Amino acid sequence: MFLNKPAYIQNHIAFALAQQNPITRLKYTKKSFIIIKILQAVGCIHRFFIKTPRNNFQKSIILSILFYKNTPFFKSFRLLSTPTKQYNITYKALRILTLSLGVSTIILSTPKGLLTHKQALQYKIGGQLLYIIS
């Protein structure tokens, strides 16, 4: 079964926000683990841990979203690229885009791995747009 990891994670976070439930569980894969680590570094996810069952059948990631007075830390968490439509951005366009971002954060998939837009600017590279968090 093909599963788009960025969309899978975005859906779980959106369900948790809709239910105002700060805790959600998703399947463990290497790519989802990397995405969760980036989201925690940005501040979108409060904490997470990996749960391994006794039979080692399927690991899962349990994460908690930071809520303050029943509202999440971020206003919007949007998925930009999908398997059918992928948005790529060059370094030059990313420099121009960051002027209008304000406090928003973009997560990119680059040749150096998953990076925030600030890290991509430091490396002077572009990539595929995955998420925008504001």
Side-chain angles (χ1 to χ4, degrees), residues 93-106:
L94 187 60
R95 277 192 340 204
I96 295 168
L97 183 64
T98 54
L99 298 175
S100 65
L101 280 179
V103 294
S104 298
T105 302
I106 295 176

Side-chain angles (χ1 to χ4, degrees), residues 21-24 44-49 62-67:
N21 184 7
I23 297 173
T24 188
C44 183
I45 293 174
H46 181 57
R47 66 175 62 123
F48 70 94
F49 67 93
I62 299 174
L63 58 94
S64 66
I65 300 168
L66 186 62
F67 277 88

Side-chain angles (χ1 to χ4, degrees), residues 23-115:
I23 297 173
T24 188
R25 175 190 305 241
L26 40 105
K27 293 178 184 176
Y28 174 85
T29 61
K30 288 181 183 179
K31 188 163 184 173
S32 63
F33 178 69
I34 293 169
I35 293 171
I36 295 296
K37 281 182 22 180
I38 292 287
L39 292 176
Q40 184 185 25
V42 169
C44 183
I45 293 174
H46 181 57
R47 66 175 62 123
F48 70 94
F49 67 93
I50 300 168
K51 184 175 181 182
T52 307
R54 290 186 183 166
N55 60 5
N56 290 334
F57 181 65
Q58 178 66 43
K59 290 182 183 179
S60 60
I61 300 174
I62 299 174
L63 58 94
S64 66
I65 300 168
L66 186 62
F67 277 88
Y68 177 72
K69 294 186 179 179
N70 294 331
T71 58
F73 173 72
F74 50 91
K75 290 182 180 178
S76 172
F77 182 74
R78 294 186 42 206
L79 177 71
L80 297 174
S81 292
T82 62
T84 58
K85 184 65 178 167
Q86 297 178 353
Y87 296 100
N88 295 314
I89 191 166
T90 62
Y91 168 69
K92 192 181 243 185
L94 187 60
R95 277 192 340 204
I96 295 168
L97 183 64
T98 54
L99 298 175
S100 65
L101 280 179
V103 294
S104 298
T105 302
I106 295 176
I107 297 179
L108 300 154
S109 177
T110 66
K112 295 203 179 253
L114 292 178
L115 301 173

